[in-house]
């Protein structure tokens, strides 16, 4: 609606004007003009002069009359205008001032609406405008504030990437002034490389019109570069992108953090890589997510990302092996460290033993996210251990096989047992024995294990040279394969049908020919070691010999069947002999016995057994009645002797008269006796000669063929036994006899090599010092003790001992060892050199003996001496001094009597001191033993009280006995009585007349508790800690004589009974002494 | 008349010495404890003090030090009569200003001689 009030005002003004100005003016003008016209008319008549004169005056007169009116009109108009326009002017002025204020930025303008007209409306509109403007400005200001308050720098760029504006944070962070950067290109802030990144970012993102975040280095004002994270967003005007706003986030800290993280990672990696053990980090999926250098080195491929069980066990599933749980799994479940030793097989089939320590890696909330595995390759050690245990197993099997071979003459029994035992030894799943049929070129399966009878029958016949068994039987060469299914050398139908992997085929060799083969197989791959091959070969040989023996013997039996009695005798002899040989490993003890048997059986005058040494000599193994020691060289192993000749010929040589045969050399000891007939029988294991045994006859003796056969059977048995014992001894040596000795000694022993480095540390030392032996190995021995500074003396003394030992002499020192537990142990070190065969010192043995006990006894001795020299002096003063004074004479009798009394009491004190001291010393030295017996507590206590009857009477004391048990206690009654008497004596002594003493005995749990309490003087607090100290005499000791040994002795006796002594006391109130003993153990 | 103070916690020692010295006309004051010895010494002004080493409260050697550090009393002769017989003990005693170090057991006769030697025989 348009308001028209101002128009009314104008009309009003006009009307006023008309009334006040125009009408009067018109009236006046009309009146004036009339007057003038009248005058004019008058003039027409008169003369012309007057007319002229009137004409001439008309204009000035008109002006003279009209001007005041005009003036009046002007004034009136002005007054009216002022009157009417006054408010309008005020409004306008205000508007002007308001707009000026707005121009100056002051938005707080609120104009007063003075008039109700259009101007008022304008003012109102102005007010609305300013308030809207104010709001807008505030909003803008707020936005500016936000932007200015932003800690992250911000820039706004136009479509050409020129900067339109930046915020103060930008100025702050980068040092550029706002006014300097506005209009600049953003590319001015980057070096070439970063510019490229920037361009790429901007172009890529611009095309897509999306926000982007990227890291970049920006130049600061000072020229340095700063890492920032820019997040840019396009600014749209409609659909068109007109610019970009970018927030630059200071990335220095993050960058540093990242660097630090990177460094930490590198550091961790360096550490990981510097660890000599393999290290793997494994996630929940059993995937290896990290591996150190060593772990990577030990494999040809990159193991990161692979499954750990594939790598370590070549298995598709996490391992569960031999009862060892997978450590990774255990750690994930338990969240605790886990240590285990695992046998690992890598993809190449190599066996590795790893000592694994698996530890959890947890996230911030404590969940196990991955497992770190430290794998120490203990293959060497384990192989060694395994070798020893395998050797043991082999020996056991060998022993049982050879024992059985020598005990049994039944081929069936022998062969089935051999099959079983060999399978057991090699951990095989099955096996077969094929025998070559005599005169045929075909083998038949005689025994089988692990395959069905049907299969055995089907595969029961193999022609010589065919298949593996046929080839082995033909060549006599052992054949093994760790995985025959992958072995392309062989084509075996035997194998294919069974799906077997580990396979070995052992020839069973007789003396001259191959008797058959022994096949063993397993369904798992089995790698045969050289050792195993050797062993099975020798099993094959032993089996062959045994079978031949049996056959030989059976043949003999057939041939000489008529001499049945003799045969039976032989058979019995043989059995007893082989039983003896087979049952013992250490042959020494029984070899002589066996030879004696042979001697008597063959009625020889002398028998000896010689063995080969590696140098090609015969050594004496066993003989009776000869002046040669076992192991002495007899003569060279060549054909110059009957023995050598028999070995050369591989058969028993019988020389009817050795003296006639000049080509044979005789040992002087033999030569000294006039032997005639000699029979030498060689002992062989396969092709290898073991030794020989020879029968010597003083007379001429005809040796029959069957006897020779029999000798050879014996030779075979002996050969097997010898070989076996040899193997056994070797293995014992390998394990190190010394090791056993070392570990069983109670003293600590450290062996070092000739440079002073530790070879071994025994258990006792480990126990003594706390130092783990594994850590010590390889250390310089003196460095072992570096963990404590107080060991410096020990180290220098040890070095002295070691120097002496390594230069060949023995040395002993005494020192103090500070253990890892922080205890001080007095020890005696003695170092001894160890020599090799040439007499060089190769190592040294250092013995550490704990001499605490000796030291303690030593201390006790000096203690006693000091006590004697010190504590005894006072009573001695009375005895010596007073006696002297009495002897001097001039003394009254009363005085002398007093002196004598003192001498007596001091003498008694001295004497009881001596006996107490001796008792303590005996107990402490461990020489004193308890004479335990049954004690009726009630009775014992009664007698104790009775023995004080006179003192109790004199002191008028009240002693109450309360025994609440009737069981019989086991202990040393005399000693316990001594203790109780001591206590009662104390109570009576350190109490006033009429005192009350309570003695109680109770059974408490499994303990006997006896307590003696009094209401006497009590013990001063300061004396309490010293009560059990020897010669300590408390405050009351000034009044009362004593030895200061009583409680100390009681304490020792109670300790002997494994009991405890407790004293409660309060000065002026009384004392309670309680002793408790374990009830049953008190023996 | 010369005066001797004997301090020992063993009564029979005091008795012996008192008897012996009194016979030689020497005035004897006996003390069973060392606690208040210093005051009594000040009061009695003895010529000689015979001290035991090991006494409760204040040991003889400490008392000796106190006496020797007091200018008024430092002139008094001091004998130590003790059960401590080791050389080191004697050395320590002598260092503290003890004139004679006598170990127990002792001869009262020779003790008297030593006393007389130190403070003069003529007492009558």
């Amino acid at each position: 609606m348009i308001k028209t009030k101002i128009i009314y005002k104008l009309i009003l003004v006009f009307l006023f004007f008309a009334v006040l100005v125009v009408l009067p003016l018109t009236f006046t003008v009309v009146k004036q003009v009339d007057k003038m016209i009248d005058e004019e008319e008058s003039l027409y008549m008169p003369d012309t002069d007057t007319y002229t004169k009137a004409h001439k005056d008309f204009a000035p007169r008109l002006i003279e009359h009209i001007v005041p009116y005009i003036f009046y009109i002007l004034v009136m108009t002005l007054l009216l205008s002022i009157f009417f326009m006054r408010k309008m002017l005020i409004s306008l002025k205000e508007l002007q001032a308001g707009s000026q204020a707005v121009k100056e930025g002051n938005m707080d303008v609120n104009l007063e609406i003075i008039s109700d007209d259009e101007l008022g409306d304008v003012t109102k509109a102005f007010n609305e405008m300013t308030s809207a403007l104010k709001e807008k400005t505030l909003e803008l200001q707020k936005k500016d504030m936000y932007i200015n308050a932003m800690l992250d720098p911000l820039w706004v760029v136009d479509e050409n990437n020129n900067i339109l504006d930046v915020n103060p944070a930008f100025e702050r962070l980068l040092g550029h002034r706002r006014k300097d950067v506005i209009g600049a290109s953003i590319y001015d802030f980057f070096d070439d490389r970063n510019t490229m990144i920037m361009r790429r970012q901007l172009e890529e993102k611009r095309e897509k019109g999306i926000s982007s975040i990227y890291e970049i280095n920006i130049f600061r004002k000072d020229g340095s570069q700063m890492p920032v994270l820019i997040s840019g967003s396009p600014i749209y005007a409609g659909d068109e992108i007109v610019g970009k706003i970018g927030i630059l986030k200071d990335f220095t800290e993050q960058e540093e953090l990242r660097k630090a993280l990177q460094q930490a990672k590198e550091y961790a990696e360096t550490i990981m890589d510097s660890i000599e053990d393999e290290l793997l980090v494994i996630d929940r999926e059993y995937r290896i997510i990290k591996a150190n250098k060593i772990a990577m080195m030990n494999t040809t491929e990159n193991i990161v990302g692979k499954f750990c069980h594939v790598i370590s066990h070549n298995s598709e599933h996490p391992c569960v092996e031999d009862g060892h749980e997978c450590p990774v799994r255990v750690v994930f479940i338990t969240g605790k460290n886990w240590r285990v030793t695992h046998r690992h097989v890598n993809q190449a089939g190599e066996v590795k033993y790893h000592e694994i320590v698996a530890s959890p890696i947890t996230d911030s909330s404590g969940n196990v996210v991955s497992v770190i595995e430290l794998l120490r390759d203990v293959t060497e050690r384990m192989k060694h251990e395994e070798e020893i245990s395998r050797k043991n197993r082999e020996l056991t099997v060998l022993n049982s096989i050879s024992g059985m071979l020598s005990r049994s003459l039944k081929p069936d029994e022998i062969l089935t047992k051999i099959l079983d035992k060999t399978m057991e030894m090699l951990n095989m799943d099955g096996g077969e024995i094929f025998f070559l049929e005599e005169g045929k070129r075909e083998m038949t399966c005689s025994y089988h294990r692990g395959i069905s009878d049907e299969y055995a029958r089907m595969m029961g016949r193999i022609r010589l040279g065919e298949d593996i068994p046929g080839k082995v039987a033909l060549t006599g060469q052992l054949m093994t394969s760790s995985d025959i299914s992958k072995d392309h050398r062989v084509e075996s139908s035997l194998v294919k049908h069974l799906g077997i992997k580990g396979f070995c085929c052992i020839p069973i060799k007789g003396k001259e020919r191959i008797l058959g083969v022994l096949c063993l197989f397993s369904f798992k791959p089995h790698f045969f070691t050289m050792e195993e091959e050797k062993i099975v070969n020798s099993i094959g040989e032993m089996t062959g010999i045994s079978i031949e023996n049996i056959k030989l013997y059976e043949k003999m039996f057939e041939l000489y069947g008529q001499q049945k009695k003799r045969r039976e005798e032989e058979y019995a002899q043989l059995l007893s002999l082989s039983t003896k040989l087979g049952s013992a490993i250490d042959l020494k003890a029984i070899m002589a016995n066996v030879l004696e048997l042979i001697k008597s059986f063959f009625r020889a005058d002398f028998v000896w057994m010689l063995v080969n040494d590696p140098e090609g000599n015969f050594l004496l193994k066993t003989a009776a009645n000869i002046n040669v020691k076992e192991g002495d060289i007899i003569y060279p192993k060549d054909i110059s002797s009957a023995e050598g000749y028999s070995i050369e010929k591989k058969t028993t040589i019988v020389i009817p008269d050795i003296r006639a045969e000049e080509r044979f050399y005789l040992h002087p000891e033999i030569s000294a006796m006039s032997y005639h007939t000699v029979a030498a029988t060689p002992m062989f294991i396969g092709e290898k000669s073991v030794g020989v045994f020879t029968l010597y006859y003083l007379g001429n003796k005809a040796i029959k063929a069957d006897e020779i056969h029999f000798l050879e059977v014996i030779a075979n048995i002996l050969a097997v036994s010898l070989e076996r014992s040899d193997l056994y001894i070797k293995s014992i040596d390998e394990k190190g006899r010394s090791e056993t000795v070392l570990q069983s000694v109670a003293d600590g022993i450290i062996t070092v090599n000739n440079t002073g480095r530790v070879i071994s540390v025994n258990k006792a030392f480990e126990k003594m010092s706390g130092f783990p032996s594994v850590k010590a190995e390889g250390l310089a021995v003196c460095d072992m003790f570096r963990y404590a500074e107080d060991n410096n003396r020990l180290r220098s003394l040890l070095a002295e001992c070691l120097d002496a030992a390594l230069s060949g002499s023995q040395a002993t020192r005494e020192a103090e060892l500070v253990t890892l537990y922080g205890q001080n142990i007095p020890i005696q070190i003695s170092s001894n050199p160890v020599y090799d065969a040439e007499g060089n010192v190769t190592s040294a043995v250092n013995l550490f003996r704990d001499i605490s006990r000796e030291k303690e006894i030593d201390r006790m001795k000096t203690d006693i001496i000091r006590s004697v020299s010190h504590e005894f002096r006072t009573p001695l003063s009375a005895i010596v001094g007073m006696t002297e004074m009495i002897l001097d004479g001039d003394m009254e009798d009363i005085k002398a009597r007093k002196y004598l009394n003192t001498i007596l009491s001091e003498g008694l004190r001295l004497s009881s001191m001596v006996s107490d001291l001796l008792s303590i010393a005996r107990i402490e030295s461990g020489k004193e033993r308890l004479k335990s017996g049954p004690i009726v507590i009630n009775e014992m206590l009664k007698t104790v009280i009775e023995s004080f009857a006179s003192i109790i009477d004199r002191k008028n004391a009240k002693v109450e006995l309360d025994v609440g048990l009737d069981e019989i206690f086991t202990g040393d009654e005399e000693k316990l009585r001594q203790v109780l008497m001591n206590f009662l004596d104390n109570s009576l002594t350190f109490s006033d007349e009429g005192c009350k003493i309570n003695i109680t005995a109770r059974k408490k749990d499994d303990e006997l508790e006896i307590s003696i309490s009094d209401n006497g003087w009590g013990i001063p607090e300061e004396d309490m800690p010293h009560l059990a100290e020897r010669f300590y005499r408390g405050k009351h000791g000034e009044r009362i004589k004593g030895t200061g040994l009583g409680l100390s002795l009681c304490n020792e006796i109670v300790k002997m009974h494994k009991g405890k002594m407790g004293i409660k006391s309060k000065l002026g109130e009384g004392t309670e002494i309680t002793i408790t003993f374990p009830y049953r153990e008190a023996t | 008349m010369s005066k001797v103070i004997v301090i020992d916690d063993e009564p029979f020692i005091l008795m012996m010495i008192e008897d012996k010295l009194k016979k030689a006309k020497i005035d004897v004051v006996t003390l069973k404890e060392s606690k208040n010895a210093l005051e009594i010494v000040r009061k009695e002004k003895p010529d000689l003090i015979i001290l035991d080493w090991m006494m409760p409260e204040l040991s003889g050697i400490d008392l000796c030090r106190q006496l020797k550090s007091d200018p008024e009393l430092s002139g008094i002769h001091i004998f130590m009569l003790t059960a401590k017989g080791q050389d080191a003990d004697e050395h320590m005693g002598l260092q503290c200003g003890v004139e004679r170090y006598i170990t127990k057991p002792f001869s009262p006769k020779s003790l008297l001689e030593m006393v007389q030697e130190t403070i003069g025989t003529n007492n009558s």
Side-chain angles (χ1 to χ4, degrees), chain A residues 870 873 884 890 895 899, chain B residues 19 23 54 83 104 107 109:
Chain A
H870 179 217
R873 282 169 191 271
E884 184 197 282
D890 51 346
K895 196 78 189 178
Y899 271 32
Chain B
D19 289 354
K23 259 211 172 108
M54 288 182 298
K104 292 175 186 173
S107 155
K109 205 201 278 177

Side-chain angles (χ1 to χ4, degrees), chain A residues 553-803:
Chain A
Y553 191 80
E554 278 167 356
K555 210 181 250 169
M556 269 164 56
F557 201 78
E558 265 170 42
L559 281 173
Y560 304 100
Q562 57 272 40
Q563 296 173 0
K564 208 173 172 190
K565 194 166 176 256
R566 168 80 175 160
R567 290 305 125 207
E568 269 166 11
E569 207 179 300
E570 272 179 16
Y571 191 86
Q573 197 76 23
L574 201 61
L575 261 186
S576 101
L577 185 145
S578 52
T579 308
K580 271 188 182 150
L581 285 176
S583 59
I585 286 171
D586 186 8
L587 285 184
K588 266 184 217 169
I590 54 159
M591 208 50 108
N593 196 348
V594 168
L595 282 196
E596 202 52 43
L597 261 170
I598 296 171
K599 193 177 141 192
S600 72
F601 189 77
F602 290 97
R603 296 183 183 90
D605 296 300
F606 175 72
V607 181
W608 71 3
M609 186 194 291
L610 309 179
V611 290
N612 313 327
D613 76 351
E615 274 84 44
N617 294 313
F618 279 126
L619 307 180
L620 181 72
K621 178 76 185 169
T622 321
N625 306 322
I626 187 163
N627 200 14
V628 183
K629 269 194 286 186
E630 188 195 322
D632 280 359
I633 295 174
I634 301 296
Y635 33 61
K637 194 183 101 180
D638 57 30
I639 53 165
S640 66
S641 65
E643 284 87 358
Y645 189 66
S646 76
I647 284 175
E648 178 68 21
K649 292 283 158 199
K650 289 187 181 172
T651 179
T652 303
I653 299 292
V654 179
I655 305 156
D657 186 358
I658 190 96
R659 291 167 176 276
E661 296 272 354
E662 274 177 12
R663 60 185 170 130
F664 292 123
Y665 172 77
L666 282 178
H667 189 270
E669 288 286 325
I670 299 290
S671 165
M673 309 294 290
S674 41
Y675 293 122
H676 280 87
T677 305
V678 172
T681 311
M683 297 180 284
F684 278 91
I685 292 270
E687 293 295 307
K688 185 181 142 207
S689 111
V690 178
V692 57
F693 71 91
T694 325
L695 282 66
Y696 288 88
Y697 293 90
L698 281 169
N700 284 317
K701 164 89 172 153
I703 296 172
K704 288 179 217 149
D706 66 325
E707 277 177 331
I708 291 171
H709 276 303
F710 192 49
L711 274 174
E712 282 178 355
V713 171
I714 291 170
N716 284 339
I717 294 169
L718 285 175
V720 171
S721 307
L722 272 177
E723 180 80 351
R724 192 160 48 91
S725 83
D726 204 35
L727 262 170
Y728 182 74
I729 286 160
K730 262 190 217 151
S731 108
I732 289 282
D733 283 352
E734 272 172 41
K735 270 161 86 180
R737 214 185 285 261
S738 54
E739 184 74 5
T740 330
V741 178
L742 208 70
Q743 297 300 352
S744 57
V745 176
D747 292 332
I749 296 176
I750 303 177
T751 55
V752 297
N753 65 9
N754 55 8
T755 62
R757 300 216 166 252
V758 176
I759 301 169
S760 71
V761 172
N762 74 343
K763 288 250 154 47
F765 184 81
E766 215 176 284
K767 210 170 140 196
M768 182 191 289
S769 66
F771 202 96
S773 58
V774 281
K775 279 200 180 165
E777 278 161 35
L779 275 183
V781 66
C782 292
D783 287 349
M784 279 175 69
F785 304 96
R786 274 184 190 277
Y787 56 83
E789 213 161 272
D790 293 346
N791 274 335
N792 285 350
R793 200 180 112 80
L794 167 94
R795 288 174 57 209
S796 70
L797 291 174
L798 177 59
E800 279 176 37
C801 286
L802 195 62
D803 280 349

Side-chain angles (χ1 to χ4, degrees), chain A residues 866 869-871 873-878 880-882 884-885 888 890-892 895 898-899 902 906 909 1033 1035 1038 1041, chain B residues 9-13 15-17 19-20 23 32-33 54 56-57 82-86 103-110:
Chain A
R866 198 179 305 134
S869 64
H870 179 217
E871 295 300 322
R873 282 169 191 271
T874 306
L876 276 173
S877 292
V880 174
M882 289 182 171
E884 184 197 282
M885 283 167 78
D888 270 358
D890 51 346
M891 191 179 278
E892 310 95 67
K895 196 78 189 178
K898 202 174 174 189
Y899 271 32
T902 310
E906 289 299 309
R909 182 174 145 200
R1033 300 196 53 220
K1035 220 166 174 314
E1038 291 164 31
K1041 294 264 168 70
Chain B
D9 58 345
E10 202 63 66
F12 72 82
I13 299 273
M15 179 170 76
M16 270 165 70
I17 297 172
D19 289 354
K20 193 73 191 174
K23 259 211 172 108
K32 243 189 84 170
E33 50 185 23
M54 288 182 298
E57 315 263 335
T82 176
K84 284 170 87 80
Q86 292 190 327
T103 50
K104 292 175 186 173
F106 64 100
S107 155
K109 205 201 278 177
S110 42

Side-chain angles (χ1 to χ4, degrees), chain A residues 211-355:
Chain A
S211 305
S212 59
I213 296 181
Y214 46 95
E215 254 181 80
I216 202 155
N217 283 333
I218 191 165
F219 278 124
R220 302 178 75 230
K221 173 92 172 176
D222 60 12
S224 62
Q225 287 207 354
M226 175 182 229
V228 287
L229 185 79
I230 300 184
S231 47
S233 314
I235 306 172
Y236 286 93
D239 285 343
E240 205 185 334
I241 296 169
V242 292
K244 249 174 138 14
I245 188 160
I247 296 171
L248 296 82
K249 216 169 165 50
D250 179 2
F251 220 51
T252 321
E253 203 180 325
Q254 279 89 337
E255 185 66 19
E256 271 165 15
L257 273 176
R258 201 168 52 185
K259 268 189 200 156
L261 189 70
Q262 186 61 30
Q263 253 175 17
K265 269 187 184 165
E266 275 166 18
Y267 182 63
E269 247 159 64
T270 316
I271 290 176
M272 275 172 75
D273 286 344
S274 62
I275 292 172
E276 281 173 36
D277 300 324
E278 287 183 33
L279 200 143
L280 302 175
V281 182
I282 296 163
D283 69 6
R284 280 199 166 271
E285 310 284 307
Y286 295 91
R287 221 180 271 276
I288 297 168
I289 52 176
K290 195 133 201 60
N292 72 345
K293 226 191 224 157
I294 294 282
M296 298 293 258
M297 253 164 56
N298 288 344
T299 154
T300 47
E301 54 190 332
N302 186 5
I303 56 174
V304 175
K306 300 250 164 70
F307 289 110
C308 64
H309 42 84
V310 174
I311 300 301
S312 4
H313 294 275
N314 207 1
S315 141
E316 293 302 314
H317 310 284
C319 65
V320 181
E321 183 199 292
D322 296 339
H324 291 316
E325 278 255 40
C326 168
V328 182
R329 207 166 76 104
V330 171
V331 173
F332 273 125
I333 294 168
T334 63
K336 285 180 187 149
N337 285 4
W338 186 255
R339 185 189 284 268
V340 72
T341 303
H342 262 196
R343 181 178 186 271
H344 285 164
V345 182
N346 65 12
Q347 278 146 318
E350 269 180 315
V351 174
K352 288 249 175 196
Y353 285 93
H354 283 124
E355 193 177 271

Side-chain angles (χ1 to χ4, degrees), chain A residues 867-988:
Chain A
S867 308
V868 167
S869 64
H870 179 217
E871 295 300 322
F872 290 7
R873 282 169 191 271
T874 306
L876 276 173
S877 292
I879 297 166
V880 174
M882 289 182 171
T883 317
E884 184 197 282
M885 283 167 78
I886 293 167
L887 286 175
D888 270 358
D890 51 346
M891 191 179 278
E892 310 95 67
D893 276 3
I894 299 171
K895 196 78 189 178
R897 180 166 284 277
K898 202 174 174 189
Y899 271 32
L900 284 171
N901 267 323
T902 310
I903 290 171
L904 178 65
S905 72
E906 289 299 309
L908 287 173
R909 182 174 145 200
L910 199 59
S911 136
S912 89
M913 238 191 247
V914 170
S915 73
D916 282 358
L917 202 60
L918 287 178
S919 297
I920 292 173
R922 262 207 310 274
I923 293 170
E924 281 190 352
S925 70
K927 279 178 192 154
E928 187 77 359
R929 299 248 174 273
L930 287 178
K931 296 186 195 88
S932 284
I935 306 172
V936 182
I937 299 295
N938 200 8
E939 294 301 311
M940 180 178 72
L941 289 170
K942 270 184 194 156
T943 57
V944 167
I945 296 167
E946 271 163 26
S947 64
F948 285 90
S950 64
I951 304 172
I952 291 170
D953 200 38
R954 202 176 60 220
K955 274 218 149 179
N956 195 20
K958 255 189 163 178
V959 180
E960 273 177 20
L961 178 63
D962 174 14
V963 177
L965 52 91
D966 47 12
E967 276 127 301
I968 290 167
F969 181 74
T970 315
D972 188 327
E973 184 163 2
E974 199 188 310
K975 289 205 175 57
L976 285 181
R977 198 194 297 268
Q978 198 177 351
V979 171
L980 294 165
M981 282 172 74
N982 214 308
F983 291 164
L984 188 54
D985 188 24
N986 280 347
S987 283
L988 286 165

